Amino acid sequence: MDNTSVGLPGVSVYTNGKTLLAVTDVNGNFTITKPIKIGSVLSFVSVGLKPQRVTYNGQASAKVVMVDDVNELGDVVVTGVVNKMKNSFTGSAATFSGDQLKNVGTQNAIASLKTLDPSFNVLDSEFGSDPNRMPNIEIRGKSSLISTRDELAEDPNQPLFILDGFESSLQAIYDLDMNRIASITILKDAASTAIYGSKASNGVVVVETIKPKSGHLHLSYNGSANVQWADLTSYNLMNAAEKLEFEKLVGRYSNFSNTEQELRLMQSYNDKLADIARGVDTYWLSEPLRTGLNHRHSIYADGGEGAFMFGLGLTYNGVTGIMKESKRDNISGNIDLTYRLNKLQFSNKFSISNIDSQDPMVSFSEYAKANPYYTKRNENGEVERWLEYNDDIKASNPLYDASLNSYSKSGGYSISDKFVAEYTPIKEMKIRGRFGFTHTSSDSKTFYSPRSTSYYETEYTKRGSYNWGQTKTNKYEGELTATYAKVFADVHMFNFAVGGYLSQTNSTYNGYSAVGFPVGDYDLPSFSNGYPEGGKPGYSESISRAVSGYAIGNYSYDNRYLIDFSYRVNGSSVFGRNKHYIGTWAVGLAWNLHNEKFIKDNLKSLGITYLKLRASVGNPGNQNFSSSATITTFRYNFNSFNYFGMTTSMAQLGNPNLEWQTTIDRNIGFDITLLNDRLKLVGDYYYKTTDPLLITIDMPASSGATNNQIYKNFGKQTSQGFTGQATYYLIRQIKNRLWWNVRGTLRTGTTKLSGIGNKLESFNSKEREGENRSTKRYYDGASTDDIWVVRSAGIDPATGREIFIKKNGELTYDFSYDDEVIVGNSRPTVEGVLGTSFSWKGLSVSADFRYRIGGYSFNSVLFNKVENISTSSLIYNQDKRALYDRWQKPGDHAQFKDIANSVSTPMSSRFVQRDNSWSLESLRIGYEFSPELARRCGMGSIRLNAYMNDIFRLTTIKQERGTSYPYARSVSFALSLTL
């Protein structure tokens, strides 16, 4: 029963934590039929409740009170469909409690998971710590070609997110108050993810929020304050004197056939030299930045009596970004209700949130470009439009554009209601029905002032622009599941679940653009001159439906030999009308060696308390794709008529035979706890094959489609790797509340393509010679992370020209793309986190350091700011190495070409560098007041925590990070109070 004397159904009873003896019925009663020894320890386990242990002394009955404790979740794997005991689970999964997440930081759950689990990878981005940009996430690498990311509505490599049993979005998890989180489980292999069928090939993140506690009214407050500032250590820009000297050496102020122009430029040089002599050396990087002061507050009240429990919560999270005009304010509330009535239990979770955000109008890169020999303001303290404006040089002032009444704002709200009804007709069986509804509405508006420097050559009547867009989405979900669990002959434990799921998502988009605005505070669309040339309002709507049925089973013999199996039939409107349905399956096997007599008898000295070997295989799918890819669409031509009226043309050629993208996911793993619980090891080797891939290819012009690309299925991608975790307790005195551990995680992985032939050759050509100028190529047998360039033998000391190496090893001055080879891989050989934690009574300290070893990176700074600096690019500041490390005279041994040579440089291995790094990801110091001291203060509990996140980063490569929005360092303070 719980602490209000209400019987609890579904509580599992184990002996010595290993053998299942019974499961409580609807009234909380249980009967043990198997003989047990005097002195045996009976364990009572249920999700969301602290396990209770009772010593059997021969008594005929026992009364056990279960205590709410959301942090004791290590023995349960929450899959979001059915919950499974870790001891009988064959899949690869990791569960983290809310307190574990908050031990890393208070920013958001995504940032904490990156530190806690090696398989959870948050990719670097040019948008750094922008609070309004969602991170790019991978679990165990990619299952789709990265090239499709920008072409599809969803990220095809993003995991599936489940919140309280219902599908959710990354943004909802990103904005979720961490104090509401009871646990997060990462499902990694097929045995654990295949229950989600066609959406699970990238892994599944299952989030469970806290449930109301019964008893007297509980009131808790959690608040945190966060201070952020920009990390600019990756920038290596020239100062004023260096930049002017560089311009002189490259010949900007000499060697002109036009004498008048040369005199004009020399006068410009002398003016700048005089400014530098009087102390002008502007540091532009600090101008758009500020110290971000952020604060979060949450209040939660819960209670109840008897069969009824309730919870009410309110949260505010105010984020002021490290760039001026950058913010994200989130206000949310939730109501949780639970009611028990005999064999029925009802629960409802209602939540609402509102987001108001704003972004800076001038990218951080624009400030990094500004030359330091210019002053920010004129003699009168005014910000001028141009730093320099004449026939030869037109350098805009980023401060001017930032001072205009331009803006980029967005906002929205979401409403979600999740209802669950559970019926327990007999103690072995449970029937659960769930229904969820989510409504989201988001809008954005962006205004560019007609005075913006970007319009200086635009026709007067077209200067200035206004863009507005609104998206509304309604999602309906329903699921019915029946589970049955039974123990036969005390050694055969069987669990089985069958169910069905259906969903519908309706989405509409409205938007328009307007151009031509008068100068002044006239930023509303009614002041515009009209639509852009050829423009018109936009509107679209879409409906996607999914339906599936599934069967999930688990069998355990004597808690030694385990098997999991699942099968799911999935139907979706996303794919072609001829390929609407697919079946996904998974099988998992495990062996609990710690329950074998030969292990207990022969390896006592190792103190093994847990030793499991696991293996699984399955084919979860991926449907993070737009349904429009399968449909042939047409558009009306208003400027073209024939005898029958207005003409139409094909906008997109659909593919009705488009197949599902599925992944055969294989996994072998182990879980070991030895040395009497002092050492814990977890390891997993995975091998995933995605076949067929979904790829866009170019169509011939004869197809008649305006969009000359079509989605096709071909090719195969194989990903394999290993993830591991180790924790060792140097001190482990639990009774004395004293312990100290060291821990480490690692991940390593590779990908390889096959079966694509030359079908992506047009894409490779674009990457080589187009505007992208990328080092990625797509060939059979190669990795999507390989770096393709022509090898370089360095700079010729005699001429300052680059010497290239042909495929056959010959040296040449002539560059050819035919000589491209793989010179490195952007994925590190090994990456992970090393950490330590110490706790003594109420004091606790933890630190986590991230390491990255063996990867390579194409240093775009060397390519764009050291070389490839054209004459027109001299209006921008450049990297110091352009002045100090380039060849200048015969005999120089330099890494970079002739400083006076402004001819475009092709990509070569000179720009590929090792990318090893070491950084402090998290440091925390916390203190929890003793219960006696807390009571003296009138509180049930008091906790204080201080954090430092991303404080330093050491790396072997000097390359700018967060070019559009810088990365941030932060210090946080958190207070938790409970009445």
Side-chain angles (χ1 to χ4, degrees), residues 239-276:
N239 62 29
E242 290 170 332
K243 181 60 194 314
L244 189 62
E245 177 65 15
F246 172 74
E247 292 179 0
K248 179 182 177 182
L249 292 174
V250 300
R252 185 181 192 185
Y253 303 104
S254 60
N255 301 323
F256 285 90
S257 57
N258 187 324
T259 304
E260 181 180 348
Q261 182 186 29
E262 184 171 1
L263 290 174
R264 192 168 59 245
L265 288 170
M266 284 304 300
Q267 181 61 47
S268 174
Y269 171 80
N270 292 328
D271 291 342
K272 292 176 179 124
L273 190 62
D275 287 339
I276 293 172

Side-chain angles (χ1 to χ4, degrees), residues 823-839:
V823 299
N825 192 284
S826 60
R827 191 173 292 272
T829 303
V830 62
E831 181 179 10
V833 173
L834 299 177
T836 183
S837 296
F838 173 82
S839 179

Side-chain angles (χ1 to χ4, degrees), residues 548-623:
S548 62
Y550 56 82
I552 306 167
N554 169 265
Y555 170 74
S556 169
Y557 174 74
D558 198 26
N559 204 22
R560 290 184 291 162
Y561 313 117
L562 318 171
I563 181 171
D564 280 307
F565 55 90
S566 65
Y567 183 79
R568 186 164 185 146
V569 177
N570 311 269
S572 174
S573 61
V574 167
F575 291 89
R577 62 176 178 269
N578 299 330
K579 303 288 182 179
H580 273 327
Y581 290 90
I582 190 175
T584 56
W585 55 269
V587 176
L589 301 173
W591 186 10
N592 282 334
L593 284 162
H594 56 276
N595 288 333
E596 295 289 355
K597 190 174 184 300
F598 68 86
I599 294 292
K600 297 176 181 179
D601 294 343
N602 299 315
L603 297 177
K604 289 182 179 180
S605 60
L606 293 178
I608 296 176
T609 56
Y610 196 87
L611 174 56
K612 176 187 284 186
L613 299 180
R614 300 176 277 102
S616 65
V617 62
N619 71 330
N622 186 347
Q623 66 173 62

Side-chain angles (χ1 to χ4, degrees), residues 419-435:
F419 176 77
V420 180
E422 295 181 345
Y423 175 59
T424 309
I426 57 177
K427 67 178 182 179
E428 296 90 357
M429 187 176 186
K430 180 182 292 186
I431 300 173
R432 182 185 61 202
R434 298 194 290 196
F435 176 77

Side-chain angles (χ1 to χ4, degrees), residues 729-976:
Y729 284 84
L730 301 169
I731 302 173
R732 194 172 188 273
Q733 300 177 12
I734 303 301
K735 291 183 179 180
N736 298 326
R737 298 173 62 194
L738 172 64
W739 53 267
W740 177 25
N741 69 32
V742 291
R743 58 187 179 274
T745 68
L746 66 87
R747 68 166 173 260
T748 180
T750 60
T751 61
K752 185 174 68 174
L753 294 174
S754 59
I756 60 175
N758 62 353
K759 294 180 180 178
L760 293 182
E761 185 54 36
S762 61
F763 185 82
N764 289 330
S765 298
K766 291 179 182 179
E767 292 291 281
R768 282 195 297 261
E769 304 173 34
E771 295 180 359
N772 291 331
R773 305 190 75 177
S774 169
T775 60
K776 289 184 178 294
R777 305 289 183 267
Y778 299 91
Y779 296 110
D780 284 341
S783 168
T784 55
D785 300 305
D786 285 337
I787 300 174
W788 289 80
V789 290
V790 176
R791 290 175 295 168
S792 174
I795 300 300
D796 184 357
T799 63
R801 296 176 61 189
E802 183 171 10
I803 303 173
F804 301 102
I805 304 175
K806 292 185 174 183
K807 278 188 177 180
N808 60 11
E810 295 180 5
L811 301 181
T812 179
Y813 284 124
D814 299 322
F815 175 87
S816 173
Y817 283 113
D818 294 334
D819 294 322
E820 282 185 336
V821 295
I822 300 171
V823 299
N825 192 284
S826 60
R827 191 173 292 272
T829 303
V830 62
E831 181 179 10
V833 173
L834 299 177
T836 183
S837 296
F838 173 82
S839 179
W840 178 59
K841 295 185 178 179
L843 177 67
S844 59
V845 180
S846 63
D848 294 285
F849 299 85
R850 178 167 296 278
Y851 66 91
R852 174 189 170 104
I853 301 173
Y856 287 83
S857 178
F858 184 86
N859 194 332
S860 59
V861 173
L862 299 181
F863 185 69
N864 295 312
K865 289 191 172 184
V866 176
E867 294 191 15
N868 284 303
I869 304 173
S870 63
T871 301
S872 60
S873 298
L874 292 176
I875 63 172
Y876 306 130
N877 199 2
Q878 308 296 340
D879 191 275
K880 287 178 181 288
R881 288 167 287 189
L883 173 63
Y884 295 110
D885 296 344
R886 288 182 65 166
W887 186 93
Q888 296 188 33
K889 62 183 184 302
D892 284 349
H893 292 272
Q895 182 182 356
F896 305 106
K897 70 177 186 180
D898 182 1
I899 196 169
N901 185 349
S902 61
V903 176
S904 177
T905 300
M907 291 180 170
S908 73
S909 60
R910 282 189 306 122
F911 306 106
V912 179
Q913 298 179 312
R914 280 193 176 274
D915 189 5
N916 302 330
S917 63
W918 174 261
S919 60
L920 175 59
E921 200 154 87
S922 172
L923 175 65
R924 181 189 65 88
I925 301 176
Y927 184 76
E928 183 174 3
F929 285 43
S930 65
E932 296 79 10
L933 184 56
R935 282 195 293 269
R936 291 178 189 175
C937 299
M939 298 289 172
S941 66
I942 303 175
R943 292 183 184 180
L944 298 172
N945 283 289
Y947 305 85
M948 299 176 71
N949 295 98
D950 304 314
I951 293 301
F952 73 82
R953 183 174 185 271
L954 306 176
T955 179
T956 58
I957 185 172
K958 192 72 172 178
Q959 181 172 225
E960 294 173 2
R961 301 172 68 237
T963 52
S964 295
Y965 195 106
Y967 279 90
R969 297 169 171 175
S970 67
V971 174
S972 307
F973 303 91
L975 170 66
S976 178

Side-chain angles (χ1 to χ4, degrees), residues 313-333:
L314 181 65
T315 299
Y316 171 76
N317 184 25
V319 178
T320 56
I322 57 174
M323 284 192 71
K324 298 172 184 176
E325 300 178 5
S326 172
K327 72 168 188 176
R328 185 179 183 86
D329 290 336
N330 182 15
I331 300 176
S332 61

